[in-house]
Amino acid sequence: MKIAQNTVVSVNYKLSDAQNNLIEDGAQPMVYLHGGYENTLPKIEEELDGKEVGYSSTLQIEPEDAFGDYDPSLLKVEERSRLPEPLEVGMQFEGMAEGSDEEPTIFTVTEIADDKVVLDGNHPLAGMALRFDLSVIDVRAATPEEITHGHVHGAHGHHHGDDDMDDGEGDHFRSQPLN
Ligand SMILES: [Zn+2]
């Protein structure tokens, strides 16, 4: 079966930066619903469209097609007292970026001083060119339910619990390996 709109694609992948430093070794395959559901990067869909099991490729994706350029205005310095304890570098908090009334931003703690904390609202992979080694291991037709929901169900996919019946936004599994 060829990869097309509304197929579920399983891909073994390895993610490196442009200098070939390994970022993620893809111990679990990425499984996503193909066809513009934003389950994975559009460039990956473009590369795999029309391909079949056994296809492999190395793809370099520039920051503007991945997680955007690094935006220094998303760095914030907060009073440590405004953040919960215990606090560690690498912890993430949801917050609103300055002057933004859009979606909340995920901030990562990048530095802790005595009474100040540096929070970075950039995606950890912002500003980086990414290299994906991709290898297609499975392609199947999506179920009507998966198409309606816009994501994959079953192994490695989205699991609906009892309190998840409305399938609302927010806690959807993203097959994308990067967040
Ligand atoms: Zn679902």
Side-chain angles (χ1 to χ4, degrees), residues 145-146 148-153 158-160 164 167 172:
E145 195 186 34
E146 286 172 322
T148 307
H149 288 190
H151 55 227
V152 173
H153 292 165
H158 183 79
H159 295 274
H160 292 283
D164 192 24
D167 200 34
H172 274 189

Side-chain angles (χ1 to χ4, degrees), residues 11-169:
V11 186
N12 278 333
Y13 72 97
K14 198 177 78 173
L15 172 60
S16 325
D17 66 16
Q19 287 72 45
N20 225 6
N21 299 306
L22 188 68
I23 297 171
E24 207 178 318
D25 70 358
Q28 297 282 331
M30 164 170 79
V31 183
Y32 77 93
L33 177 60
H34 188 89
Y37 295 96
E38 296 182 4
N39 283 188
T40 191
L41 296 174
K43 287 281 175 190
I44 292 181
E45 293 208 23
E46 218 173 87
E47 174 68 18
L48 297 181
D49 197 65
K51 305 303 194 302
E52 297 177 84
V53 169
Y55 178 77
S56 335
S57 148
T58 298
L59 190 61
Q60 177 151 335
I61 304 182
E62 298 305 317
E64 60 266 34
D65 293 319
F67 296 95
D69 287 320
Y70 188 86
D71 179 358
S73 76
L74 290 174
L75 275 180
K76 309 210 296 188
V77 179
E78 275 290 349
E79 298 297 326
R80 182 167 182 165
S81 58
R82 296 191 54 191
L83 292 158
E85 295 285 346
L87 199 59
E88 274 176 51
V89 168
M91 286 175 87
Q92 296 190 312
F93 297 95
E94 214 174 69
M96 302 300 286
E98 211 74 39
S100 156
D101 44 32
E102 295 166 24
E103 297 274 284
T105 304
I106 304 292
F107 287 92
T108 306
V109 176
T110 56
E111 255 184 87
I112 304 174
D114 290 341
D115 56 349
K116 303 270 197 245
V117 176
V118 180
L119 297 172
D120 189 347
N122 286 284
H123 190 280
L125 298 177
M128 293 175 68
L130 303 175
R131 275 180 51 142
F132 285 92
D133 289 309
L134 302 170
S135 172
V136 178
I137 56 170
D138 190 52
V139 183
R140 67 167 170 85
T143 65
E145 195 186 34
E146 286 172 322
I147 294 166
T148 307
H149 288 190
H151 55 227
V152 173
H153 292 165
H156 309 300
H158 183 79
H159 295 274
H160 292 283
D162 290 339
D163 55 355
D164 192 24
M165 295 302 285
D166 66 353
D167 200 34
E169 286 302 310

